[in-house]
Amino acid sequence: MKPSLKRRLWHQITGMLVPVWLILGIVSVILYRGSSFGPWLMVHLLLLGALSTAILVWSQHFADSLLKNTAPGGRYWLGVRLTVHTVGAALVMIGITGAWWHVVLTGGILVGLNAVVHATILVRQLRGALPARFAPLVRYYIAAAGCLVVGVTLGIWMAHPGSAAASDYYDRLYITHIGLNLLGWVGLTVIGTVALLLPTVLRSRVLSTTRAAARPTLPTLLAGLVVLGTGAYADSRIITAAGVLIYLVGFARVLGELAGHVRRSPAVSYAGWSITAALAWFAVCALGFGTVVATAASWADAAAGLKTLVPYFAVGFGGQILIGALSFLIPVVLGGGPRAFKATAHELDRAGLFRVSVVNGALVLTLLPVPDVVAAALWAVLLTTLAAFIILMVRALRINRKNRTPPGAQLPPLVRDVAESPAPKPPPRTAMLIAAAATLALTLAVGVALEPSNTSLASGSGSGPGATGHTTTVDVTMIDTQFSPDMINVPVGDNLVITLTNADGMLHDLVFDNGVESGSVEPQATTTVDVGMIDADLGGWCSLGGHRLLGMLLTVNAIGADSTATADSPANTMHSDASASGSIDPLAEPGSDFVARDARLAPAASATVHTSTMTVGNTETEVAPGITQMLWTYNHTAPGPTLRGTVGDVFEITFVNAGTIGHSLDFHAGSLAPDKPMQTIDPGEELTYRFTATRSGIWMYHCSTMPMSVHIANGMFGAVIIDPPGLTAVEQEYVLVQSEFYLGRQGEEGDPVKVQTQLPDLLTFNGYANQYVAAPLTATVGEKVRIWVLDAGPNVGSSFHVVGGQFDTVFSEGEYLLRGGGSTGTGGAQTLALAPAQGGFVELTFTEAGTYPFMSHVMSDAEKGARGLIVVTD
């Protein structure tokens, strides 16, 4: 096989990697556009996949040409490096979409190490090369690889589950990550390449040197990137923006020179138009980058604003520079003689002005305040037009094969010969521009026709204030358990679309009075909420974790609404959602497979150090016959496990948050500063809680994250029993923890608004209404029975009573109120009165066989489930 054929086949094989990444990017847009990671996946398939692959191939190709010094290992080892990068990039994307950080770590390490190897090879080539006019341009590729190493390291850091704990820090990492990857890895490579590539495409004479190769240009660009990263590290948005400005100063030198080439020799091919348009978008987006960071009120707002720019970076710049460069370079690399070269180039140039005009016209239109459906239609047409390159490339490969010069004939032209060859005949520009304008106009018309606010199916009545046909789009960030901004002004009749970003380390959502819901939004994720047409003021809130009670409210002000509509609006009213409480039957019995929680209490262990793990999780739990709630539990139960020891014992608890929001742990049985052990930890975190039991009693433990009442009411509580000295042994010993349920919807979390009313739907012993009616406790006549009782609340007190029984011993809050019948030996008690978070025990002996009910003697609470039975036998 001839070397030239090997070269052509190698370029065909490696060149197919780029369209494969492009195809995957298009598929991701179709399949995952509505998901939280859809935009991220599309951007990374294009930039980390397609564009980075092209950069690795062509930076090596141009370095070989500029330095006249082939890289060690040649095409074989470049193929190995491409394989490593492809595997690494794929692992990064699989790991992110599957939330598998170790997969992300592995992929990121492969990408980063590959970039180090790439830079090392370029350095060796540069040192071993003879002096050349444009050799300094290779330094751009070396610097770009260094930026990728740092950028991918930051990306791995951001993907770590614990990185979301400090949202401000995460946002600063994100901005630096974007800057180093887009302005550094991609931007530096492109600047170093187009300094020669664009004049060659335009057939414009290149001077003996270029401004890109001039001594101060690359240092200026790198200085800007260093200042950008320093500003983020120093928590200064102004310094970060200044870094972008410095970068733009360096880029302006090169851009000015390229603009001169465009003036002297205007583009006449798709490659020239596409590369020129890409550079314009790069300049605009880089300027927007600096402006967003400089003017944002916070790092979170800066990150949210930057996310709106990234698609324009990726498509307007990245997509167009990639396809434009390939459209020029593919015919050059494939060669095959003048006939094959011209036929291949002609195919890739097909409808070039039409394609460029549609892509850039659609991009500009998406920047305008168009309705969401119109914007979606424009993006669909835009991406479809870009994707046409894949079809044209396949056709061009076939055409090249058919038109190749037979062996022994003239060799294919080199890149330098292209500039000297006659320019092709200009295409019919007027017809293409008219066709592009018509395509965009038709897209706008279809989008407007499909816009819901223009139909009778829109939100609100068609006879209301009237749809304007406009969409108001607002970026809202959820941070520090607040919405930012927390007030939105929308003209009456506008369709409201909210780009919702969760910058906290826990789940949030957004629910509106009109029934629109965002669904749960993962930490550091972004979703779009189409609120519908606004015809009156509207209230929104986060429905998770009691966050609404903490003030996590969002107000939509309808500008221009009449007073009647405004007065009737339920904005921010604290009404309760529909719940499961309406279906409660106090006399219902559980199913035959029901298993009650075992209330028997095991004796304290002999060990003096008690080690255990408390893991928080979301557990769907039946709390009454046919009634389920999504409880937040310690070790999957509510109440959590009961711990027991004696005075002086040490308890060491590993607290793990495997839930979806922040939680904490507060042990009343320990006396220590709450700052560290009782702090709220985010999902995926853990801490160690160690305390010494110095005082006896039955002590409550619970979540102390605000709103505390909601966390306790949703199942986050339990008991620690520390035996008082001299506690006598008894034949039967039980523990009952009384608590309240404020029911939410079936299978969902409790209603935080109901908690504030202090009117529970259910009261239970050990987490299930009336369970000890269905599965009674047992005792024997003459046995001493001890019953420990804790009132976990969060709101209602208890008056524990055993019908037909009399207590000869009552221990409450660390003190015997009655012991062994008191001083006379004949004293007794009928109740153990407890306020929320208080506890104690009672002792009694049954003299007759029978069934003895027990309950809270707050009788309406007993009727809501706080009751049970003790079956006494001979």
Side-chain angles (χ1 to χ4, degrees), residues 41-65:
L41 185 59
M42 183 272 288
V43 167
H44 281 73
L45 283 167
L46 176 59
L47 297 181
L48 183 60
L51 193 54
S52 293
T53 299
I55 286 174
L56 289 171
V57 174
W58 295 112
S59 62
Q60 188 64 71
H61 173 79
F62 280 108
D64 292 348
S65 300

Side-chain angles (χ1 to χ4, degrees), residues 245-259:
L245 178 61
I246 294 171
Y247 182 94
L248 284 170
V249 169
F251 178 53
R253 290 174 52 83
V254 181
L255 194 62
E257 182 179 56
L258 295 176

Side-chain angles (χ1 to χ4, degrees), residues 492-575:
V492 168
D494 269 21
N495 195 69
L496 174 60
V497 175
I498 295 176
T499 301
L500 189 64
T501 300
N502 183 0
D504 263 344
M506 64 184 78
L507 282 179
H508 287 304
D509 69 357
L510 176 57
V511 176
F512 281 102
D513 280 318
N514 64 357
V516 173
E517 300 182 6
S518 67
S520 296
V521 184
E522 297 284 345
Q524 309 310 320
T526 298
T527 189
T528 300
V529 183
D530 190 338
V531 184
M533 191 180 74
I534 302 302
D535 55 10
D537 291 350
L538 197 62
W541 62 91
C542 177
S543 68
L544 302 179
H547 297 164
R548 183 179 187 180
L549 301 179
L550 296 178
M552 198 167 181
L553 305 171
L554 178 65
T555 301
V556 177
N557 293 324
I559 306 302
D562 60 62
S563 58
T564 302
T566 302
D568 292 341
S569 171
N572 288 338
T573 54
M574 299 295 285
H575 69 273

